[in-house]
């Protein structure tokens, strides 16, 4: 039966001690940098066929009765991302139960304007739960590509299984996004999670590419202004593999630091210099505005990405914003990592997370977490491994004990959260993490110093980077060389770590049933090749009620 749904208006959020400096800004014009590639990307019929949908279509944040649809229209050839040019353009959208659009369930229109960089969103409601839908946009007689999306299960549904792709850290200049292509080709995802660093802010050649820029950023300089961030998002959205994944399943995304600037905190960033680069508040507001324009994400609280989604009785997913409210990172070894006045979440978000975990009646409590929560001590790594590891993490290269950009730098928040899990006997909490450019499978101990003689509070699956440098890239040795030496030492110093792969790029697939949560880790053959192949590497699971990780020898 065809159901009549309401049309939605476009929803865009305009969100509104000095750190060290790592990079040098290179001046260039944002619009000029992207004008050539995007104009060339128009069909041969060129101006006569504008408007065009050059950046694909996407959906996100699935609800039992709804989904958020997104696209960007180029109404005229000069209306490139960040340009501020181009006329208001009516964009129609249509949703159907089949790819051929014979059973239409909803349609409407929104207006794309230069004020929102000609991006549009339609927040569709009234759909059926746990159902595949197909959608497309149209403008001026031109149709966008067709895409699939899927709603979440009904709130009280007894769901037998869920499957999510899991990715993070995609540096455009570091290589091609084959990880996205392989996830898109699966055809079995309920949704996919992007855990941060969807874009990178650096100028061309300024951020770890093993000496080789596989493909240059646009703009070529470090992004600072709203036009810059819009241009960079626009360049990413031209990638065919990223477009394919957005067209295959809805995304659930949070930001980490590089969507703004490296090692961002509430009052600044390591990669931001007040004065020469303007105020941090202006740069942060520009970055956030562009993010909400260009991503199919519903901000639950203005200017943040923390929110919660539910998937029947099987799982809920708490998504954290660990950049907007955190205290500034401290140097290693000064003792202030334990200061109760320092926070990574902010008081309101930590209370929200604790309340949600306590009130949850689902089998699994998933936490989308941009930086690693498991304790991480380096132990007795040799200097030739310690220095590149420190470089990867952006930390001092001598006397390294922990990564203060992770939860290790905010131990009071971590203690409070883990104590809350213990006090209320909250089970089956699984942290899903990115950021560190390595793959990990961890228990999350209450007391790492006495583990495994003491208890585990939760588990954590960390996915490696899509393309961003990991240890073998930094050391410039064959893949697997560093892991063979470093992994045993890391595990010896961290008894809660079941596995770590320091060297390879790839993605994860999280499969949930009532009995277990399993992460399958996949690796890519070569990040610098567009046709890179994908191979299953390892699988780990946590069985319901155990709060511990164990290896399993087959992917789902």
């Amino acid at each position: 039966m065809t159901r009549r749904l309401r049309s939605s208006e476009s929803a865009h959020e305009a969100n509104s001690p000095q750190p060290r400096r790592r990079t040098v800004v290179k001046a260039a014009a944002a619009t000029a940098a992207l004008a050539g590639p995007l104009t060339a990307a128009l069909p041969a019929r060129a101006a006569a066929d504008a408007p065009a949908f050059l950046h694909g279509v996407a959906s996100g944040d699935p609800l039992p009765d709804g989904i958020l649809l997104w696209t960007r229209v180029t109404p005229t050839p000069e209306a490139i991302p960040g340009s501020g040019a181009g006329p208001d353009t009516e964009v129609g959208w249509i949703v159907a139960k089949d790819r051929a659009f014979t059973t239409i369930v909803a349609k409407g229109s929104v207006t794309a304007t230069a004020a929102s960089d000609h991006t549009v969103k339609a927040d569709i409601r009234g759909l059926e739960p746990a159902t595949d839908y197909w959608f497309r946009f149209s403008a001026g007689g031109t149709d966008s590509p067709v895409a699939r999306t899927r709603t979440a299960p009904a709130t009280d549904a007894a769901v037998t299984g869920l499957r999510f792709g899991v990715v993070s850290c995609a540096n455009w200049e570091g290589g091609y996004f084959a990880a996205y292509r392989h996830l898109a080709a699966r055809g079995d995802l309920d949704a996919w999670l992007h855990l941060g660093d969807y874009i990178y802010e650096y100028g061309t050649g300024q951020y770890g590419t093993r000496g080789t820029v596989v493909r240059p950023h646009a703009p070529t300089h470090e992004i600072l202004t709203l036009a810059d961030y819009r241009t960079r998002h626009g360049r990413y959205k031209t990638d065919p593999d990223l477009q394919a994944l957005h067209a295959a399943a809805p995304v659930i995304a949070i930001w980490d630091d590089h969507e703004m600037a490296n090692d961002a905190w509430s009052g600044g960033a390591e990669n931001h210099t007040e004065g020469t680069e303007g105020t941090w508040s202006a740069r942060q507001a520009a970055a956030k505005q562009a993010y909400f324009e260009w991503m199919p994400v519903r901000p639950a609280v203005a200017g943040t990405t923390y929110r919660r989604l539910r998937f029947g009785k099987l799982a809920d997913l708490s998504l954290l914003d660990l950049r907007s409210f955190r205290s500034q990172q401290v140097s290693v070894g000064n003792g202030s990592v334990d200061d109760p006045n320092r926070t990574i979440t902010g008081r309101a978000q930590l209370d929200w997370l604790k309340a949600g975990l306590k009130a949850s009646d689902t089998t699994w409590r998933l936490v989308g977490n941009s930086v690693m929560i498991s304790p991480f001590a380096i132990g007795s790594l040799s200097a030739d491994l310690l220095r590149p590891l420190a470089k990867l993490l952006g930390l001092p290269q001598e006397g390294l004990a922990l990564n203060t950009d992770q939860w290790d730098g905010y131990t009071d928040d971590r203690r409070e959260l883990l104590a809350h899990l213990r006090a209320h006997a909250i089970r089956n909490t699984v942290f899903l993490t990115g950021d560190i450019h390595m793959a990990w499978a961890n228990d999350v101990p209450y007391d790492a110093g006495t583990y495994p003689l003491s208890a585990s509070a939760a588990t954590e699956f960390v996915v490696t980077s899509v393309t961003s440098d990991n240890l073998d890239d930094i050391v410039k040795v064959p893949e697997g060389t560093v892991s063979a030496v470093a992994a045993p030492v890391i595990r010896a110093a961290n008894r809660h770590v079941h596995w770590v792969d320091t060297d390879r790029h790839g993605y994860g697939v999280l499969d949930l049933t009532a009995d277990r949560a399993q992460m399958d880790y996949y690796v890519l053959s070569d990040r610098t090749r567009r046709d890179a192949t994908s191979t299953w590497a390892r699988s780990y699971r946590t069985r319901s009620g155990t709060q511990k990780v164990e290896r399993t020898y087959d992917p789902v």
Side-chain angles (χ1 to χ4, degrees), residues 47-406:
D49 267 4
F53 296 94
L54 304 180
H55 301 90
V57 298
S59 65
D61 281 4
L63 302 174
D65 69 337
I67 197 75
L68 188 67
L69 308 183
W70 175 95
T71 195
R72 199 258 182 191
V73 65
T74 303
T76 57
E78 67 273 10
I80 60 176
S83 66
D88 291 359
T89 302
E90 184 177 6
V91 179
W93 55 264
I94 186 169
V95 180
K97 283 194 170 183
D98 62 310
R99 188 181 294 272
F101 290 88
T102 58
T103 308
I104 296 171
V105 298
K107 59 183 178 179
S109 66
V110 292
T111 301
T113 69
S116 60
D117 207 24
H118 288 99
T119 64
V120 295
K121 294 180 182 177
D123 198 348
I124 314 302
R125 300 299 173 91
L127 301 177
E128 297 176 12
T131 301
D132 286 352
Y133 290 94
W134 282 262
F135 67 95
R136 69 179 178 227
F137 293 87
S138 60
T142 301
D143 288 339
S144 76
V146 175
R148 168 196 175 265
T149 190
R150 183 170 176 82
T151 51
T155 299
D156 59 352
V159 181
T160 57
L162 291 167
R163 190 166 295 165
F164 301 111
V166 189
V167 292
S168 74
C169 304
N171 179 16
W172 176 278
E173 295 198 332
Y176 295 102
F177 296 158
Y180 297 155
R181 172 168 52 86
H182 288 290
L183 278 172
R186 291 180 62 98
D188 63 352
L189 301 179
D190 291 286
W192 56 287
L193 279 57
H194 202 295
L195 297 171
D197 299 341
Y198 184 99
I199 66 167
Y200 278 74
E201 85 280 14
Y202 289 95
T204 291
Q206 293 179 348
Y207 184 83
T209 53
R210 202 173 185 174
T212 301
V213 174
V214 176
R215 48 183 182 167
H217 276 317
T220 56
H221 61 270
E222 183 182 332
I223 54 177
L224 298 170
T225 66
L226 178 58
D228 289 344
Y229 281 97
R230 285 169 164 175
T231 303
R232 186 65 56 85
H233 275 281
R235 168 54 63 93
Y236 269 70
K237 284 289 203 304
T238 63
D239 183 87
D241 296 329
L242 179 56
Q243 287 192 10
L245 183 52
H246 274 303
V251 67
I252 301 167
I254 54 175
W255 58 48
D256 192 28
D257 52 343
H258 292 290
E259 286 87 351
M260 290 169 265
N262 183 64
D263 284 0
W265 57 286
S266 59
E270 181 277 331
N271 191 23
H272 181 78
T273 302
E274 292 276 348
T276 59
E277 294 182 339
T279 66
W280 172 247
S281 60
R283 182 176 184 177
Q284 184 186 53
K288 288 183 174 183
Q289 179 176 337
Y291 184 89
F292 284 122
E293 288 172 348
W294 280 86
M295 297 293 289
V297 167
R298 293 188 190 92
V301 180
T304 80
T305 56
Y306 81 80
R307 60 203 190 279
R308 184 172 293 114
L309 299 173
R310 182 182 172 104
F311 298 86
K313 291 183 177 180
L314 186 56
D316 55 30
L317 172 60
S318 300
L319 298 150
L320 303 184
D321 177 352
L322 299 182
R323 295 295 167 181
S324 295
F325 312 104
R326 71 156 71 196
S327 308
Q328 186 174 11
Q329 300 86 345
V330 297
S331 60
V332 173
N334 68 5
S336 62
V337 295
D338 298 322
D339 185 346
N341 293 317
R342 300 185 68 258
T343 181
I344 190 171
T345 60
R347 183 74 259 165
Q349 184 176 199
L350 185 58
D351 288 344
W352 168 86
L353 176 60
K354 289 164 58 182
L357 292 171
K358 180 183 177 183
S360 174
D361 61 351
T362 58
T363 301
W364 297 99
R365 295 154 185 83
L366 308 178
V367 182
N369 173 53
S370 60
V371 297
M372 197 160 78
I373 191 169
S374 300
F376 176 32
I378 296 303
S380 55
L381 281 181
S382 61
D384 60 329
L385 290 178
L386 177 61
R387 289 191 179 91
L389 183 60
K391 182 179 179 181
L392 175 64
L393 300 176
L395 294 172
Q397 296 183 35
E398 302 294 339
L400 183 63
L402 45 76
N403 180 354
T404 62
D405 189 55
Q406 299 179 169

Side-chain angles (χ1 to χ4, degrees), residues 459-483:
T459 53
E460 180 175 36
F461 297 124
V462 184
V463 295
T464 188
S465 60
V466 171
T467 59
S468 302
D469 272 6
N470 40 34
L471 282 191
D472 67 305
D473 300 315
I474 292 173
V475 182
K476 299 184 179 179
V477 296
E479 187 177 88
T481 304
V482 179
S483 269

